Amino acid sequence: MANRCVPLVLLACGSFNPITNQHMRLFELARDHLHSTGHSPQLKLLCGADFLDTFKVPGLWQDEHVEEVAGRFGLVCVSRGRLQPEQAMHESDTLSRHRQNIFLVREWMRNETSATEVRRALRRGLSVKYLIPDSVIEYIHKHHLYTEDSERRNKDVVLRPLSKQVQQPVNSWDD
């Protein structure tokens, strides 16, 4: 009998500001983990341990959205440095209730690459080669992103995903 390949869709959200090689590695780690454990999900939210902590930030997530993501789809959470995703799961009733649908993946290669630190290095004119893809570096330089001037201009700008929306909340992914 021939091996049947089951499609795997990983959805990741975050600022990726800028995208780093570690962000890209999340997908590799999640895929390897799910394939090696025999899981064949249709759709999972892929996140780092730092993102999992955002579920407990007051006003950032609606309870019913966390319920639907964790319960209906599930998560693949990759460890990051000293952050402990197990603690976030323990502290959240919703995540704890759906723990069988949350897959924790240990990154065996320590990588503390931080988009915040990459932005800081760029602002200071330091090299970020090998931290982010060369094509991203070229784009950043071409468009003069993350310079002292651009950072100053955007200092008080709140990214839309972080601002509270006044619109009617969406109660289901099917809406």
Side-chain angles (χ1 to χ4, degrees):
M1 183 153 123
N3 277 344
R4 203 181 90 173
C5 184
V6 178
L8 171 62
V9 177
L10 295 167
L11 172 67
C13 57
S15 68
F16 300 104
N17 183 17
I19 192 163
T20 68
N21 291 331
Q22 187 64 14
H23 289 128
M24 300 304 292
R25 183 143 172 78
L26 289 173
F27 289 94
E28 295 295 311
L29 290 166
R31 184 203 59 209
D32 289 351
H33 176 79
L34 291 172
H35 285 175
S36 72
T37 57
H39 289 95
S40 55
Q42 294 176 339
L43 176 66
K44 297 277 184 210
L45 175 64
L46 172 62
C47 67
D50 53 339
F51 184 87
L52 197 63
D53 279 342
T54 70
F55 285 129
K56 57 187 179 185
V57 175
L60 188 59
W61 289 87
Q62 294 181 13
D63 292 340
E64 56 270 14
H65 291 173
V66 177
E67 179 72 37
E68 187 157 11
V69 167
R72 182 172 174 191
F73 299 103
L75 296 110
V76 178
C77 180
V78 178
S79 64
R80 180 175 181 198
R82 295 185 187 103
L83 294 174
Q84 299 177 12
E86 296 87 354
Q87 184 173 349
M89 286 178 50
H90 172 73
E91 292 173 355
S92 165
D93 291 340
T94 303
L95 295 179
S96 182
R97 186 171 43 258
H98 296 293
R99 67 184 165 276
Q100 79 286 351
N101 209 16
I102 300 172
F103 302 91
L104 302 179
V105 180
R106 289 273 169 225
E107 166 58 290
W108 53 271
M109 183 67 71
R110 286 279 290 200
N111 184 331
E112 297 295 324
T113 303
S114 156
T116 300
E117 293 302 321
V118 168
R119 289 192 307 273
R120 180 175 291 130
L122 287 163
R123 188 176 59 247
R124 294 176 180 174
L126 302 174
S127 173
V128 293
K129 188 155 182 73
Y130 305 115
L131 296 176
I132 62 178
D134 288 342
S135 59
V136 175
I137 293 172
E138 290 168 17
Y139 182 90
I140 288 169
H141 289 309
K142 179 180 177 181
H143 295 281
H144 308 288
L145 302 176
Y146 309 115
T147 63
E148 205 172 306
D149 184 50
S150 71
E151 294 286 297
R152 189 172 31 259
R153 266 194 326 267
N154 295 313
K155 180 179 167 227
D156 296 322
V157 174
V158 177
L159 297 175
R160 186 166 185 199
L162 299 178
S163 65
K164 278 190 154 184
Q165 301 298 313
V166 185
Q167 305 167 352
Q168 172 114 358
V170 175
N171 292 322
S172 168
W173 288 97
D174 295 327
D175 291 348

